[in-house]
């Protein structure tokens, strides 16, 4: 069965939207879903590195870096330390733990460009961390607002 690919019309519409809001929303979603995991010492070597994630069939690129505060959105740049590219379908399959990163990489469905050592570090770190599988129910507006409210009340 052929993997799902976003229709070109949707990709074209997404490509003309301003770039920074994509990264801002992406960073906030990661911070909400992975708050505790992002504080892992295993991620310290990734701090302050500019990473971009390119969703090839959606014409979207997210720019961000990691710090002690979590994922920080960054303005678009041509010189990311590491760029990871795949289709929306492949990223979702990986996030749901239905696809192995090595399989995606060796079948050329997942590409890493830039700092090779950083790419290996990201891959090995993500493999070593106990990341929860993506659960789309966690992205329901009520749950997101509840988490945001909790974070705001904490401090």
């Amino acid at each position: 069965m052929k993997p799902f690919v976003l229709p070109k019309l949707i990709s074209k519409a997404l490509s003309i939207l301003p770039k920074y809001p994509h990264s801002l929303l992406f960073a906030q979603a990661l911070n909400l879903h992975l708050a505790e995991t992002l504080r892992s010492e295993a991620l310290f070597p990734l701090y302050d590195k500019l990473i971009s994630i390119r969703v090839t069939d959606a014409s979207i690129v997210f720019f961000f870096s990691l710090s002690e505060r979590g994922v920080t959105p960054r303005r678009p740049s041509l010189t990311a330390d590491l760029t990871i590219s795949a289709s929306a379908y492949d990223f979702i399959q990986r996030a749901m733990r239905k696809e192995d990163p090595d399989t995606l990489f060796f079948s050329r469905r997942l590409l890493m460009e830039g700092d090779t050592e950083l790419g290996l570090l990201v891959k090995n770190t993500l493999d070593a961390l106990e990341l929860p599988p993506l659960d789309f129910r966690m992205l329901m507006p009520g749950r997101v607002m509840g988490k945001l409210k909790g974070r705001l009340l904490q401090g």
Side-chain angles (χ1 to χ4, degrees):
M1 184 168 79
K2 188 176 179 184
F4 174 80
V5 176
L6 285 175
K8 289 192 186 298
L9 184 62
I10 292 174
S11 176
K12 191 166 190 93
L14 290 171
S15 72
I16 61 174
L17 293 174
K19 303 301 180 211
Y20 184 71
H22 295 34
S23 298
L24 180 64
L25 292 172
F26 178 76
Q28 291 306 312
L30 286 179
N31 285 328
L32 286 172
H33 188 63
L34 301 172
E36 294 303 316
T37 305
L38 293 171
R39 292 187 188 96
S40 170
E41 286 184 26
L43 296 176
F44 289 174
L46 305 178
Y47 280 15
D48 300 321
K49 301 290 184 182
L50 179 59
I51 300 171
S52 67
I53 293 184
R54 184 179 330 142
V55 185
T56 55
D57 59 335
S59 299
I60 296 174
V61 183
F62 303 106
F63 289 90
F64 63 94
S65 61
L66 295 174
S67 70
E68 62 277 351
R69 295 179 301 161
V71 178
T72 304
R74 301 279 296 273
R75 298 260 177 219
S77 171
L78 296 176
T79 57
D81 294 302
L82 177 67
T83 299
I84 302 169
S85 303
S87 70
Y89 176 83
D90 288 331
F91 277 125
I92 290 169
Q93 291 297 301
R94 176 62 196 126
M96 294 174 65
R97 301 262 172 116
K98 291 184 177 182
E99 194 70 71
D100 178 73
D102 289 329
T103 301
L104 291 172
F105 181 78
F106 289 114
S107 65
R108 298 179 194 255
R109 292 167 42 204
L110 176 78
L111 301 173
M112 289 196 188
E113 302 168 85
D115 186 333
T116 306
E117 278 187 50
L118 183 61
L120 287 172
L121 179 64
V122 167
K123 184 218 173 286
N124 293 335
T125 301
L126 292 177
D127 286 346
L129 291 174
E130 290 297 322
L131 295 174
L134 177 64
D135 180 356
F136 283 104
R137 293 174 295 187
M138 296 303 293
L139 300 175
M140 298 296 290
R143 287 194 176 174
V144 170
M145 295 308 287
K147 278 191 167 195
L148 281 173
K149 180 180 173 184
R151 286 185 73 184
L152 290 173
L153 292 176
Q154 285 178 357

